Structures are given as C-alpha cells and as structure tokens.
C-alpha cells in the first residue's frame, strides 16, 4: 500500500486510468464524491466487491484516510503482490485543495 495526497491523485487522474473506491457510507457519499468513483462502504467491504482493474491503479479513499487504509489492508489480504493507494486526508483534503467533486444532494 502506498499513501498519496490529493495533488498526486489529481495528477494520476489526468495521466492514467484509475479505479477510485470510496469506502464511506452512503449518506457520506451523497454529500461529496470524486467523479468516477464506485462506492463500497467499509461496513460491508470485501475484496471480491472491487471490480477487476487490469492495467488500472486502485485508489481507496474515505473522509480522512483512516477507513481507506483499512480497506487497502483487507484488499491486499486477498490480492497479495498488488499495489494499491490510500488517499491521505481523504475527501476532506481533496475538497480543501479546491478540486471538483460531485454531490447527490
């Protein structure tokens, strides 16, 4: 698992295909999420729920980067040898940096 910040994620999104996985709960996701994200709440998270991502980097995020760190560890238990990324500071940092986000509300 590698930790990345919002600036790095923004750069990666411009350069590569990324699989973004939000591990917050539905009510949190509804308030703010990054475009192209899939939602798999940590409360029901299992590595098998993450779609195949051949050729893509997988980036997990949550509100602040703690739950997504847990999701990274759980994912790697079933997918040893892969590299996954944890967004340090989560969606809070993304918004603080002024990057675009979507809302369902």
């Amino acid at each position: 698992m590698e930790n990345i910040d919002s600036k790095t994620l923004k750069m990666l999104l411009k350069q590569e295909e990324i699989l973004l996985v939000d591990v917050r709960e539905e009510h949190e996701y509804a308030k703010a999420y990054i475009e192209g994200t899939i939602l798999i709440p940590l409360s029901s998270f299992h590595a098998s729920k993450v779609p195949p991502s051949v050729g893509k980097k997988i980036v997990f995020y949550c509100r602040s980067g703690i739950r997504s760190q847990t999701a990274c560890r759980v994912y790697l238990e079933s997918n040893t040898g892969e590299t996954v990324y944890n967004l340090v500071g989560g969606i809070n940092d993304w918004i603080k940096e002024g990057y675009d986000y979507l809302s369902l509300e």
Side-chain angles (χ1 to χ4, degrees), residues 2-66:
E2 292 184 26
N3 288 315
I4 60 172
D5 61 14
S6 293
K7 290 177 185 174
T8 303
L9 176 57
K10 183 71 171 173
M11 181 187 67
L12 288 173
L13 287 169
K14 289 180 181 179
Q15 297 174 350
E16 302 180 39
E17 285 196 59
I18 304 290
L19 176 61
L20 277 172
V21 181
D22 187 332
V23 297
R24 297 174 300 153
E25 297 301 315
E26 287 183 34
H27 68 276
E28 295 172 286
Y29 178 84
K31 292 177 183 176
Y33 64 94
I34 301 169
E35 185 175 5
T37 298
I38 63 166
L39 175 66
I40 307 173
L42 187 60
S43 60
S44 62
F45 187 85
H46 190 276
S48 65
K49 292 183 176 183
V50 178
S53 60
V54 177
K56 295 181 184 179
K57 289 184 164 103
I58 303 173
V59 179
F60 291 94
Y61 76 92
C62 62
R63 183 178 57 83
S64 64
I66 304 300

Side-chain angles (χ1 to χ4, degrees), residues 65-93:
I66 304 300
R67 287 177 281 178
S68 53
Q69 205 171 35
T70 300
C72 285
R73 283 192 219 108
V74 170
Y75 181 81
L76 288 171
E77 286 174 4
S78 301
N79 297 279
T80 55
E82 284 196 43
T83 302
V84 295
Y85 300 85
N86 175 50
L87 180 60
V88 175
I91 190 84
N92 286 348
D93 188 63

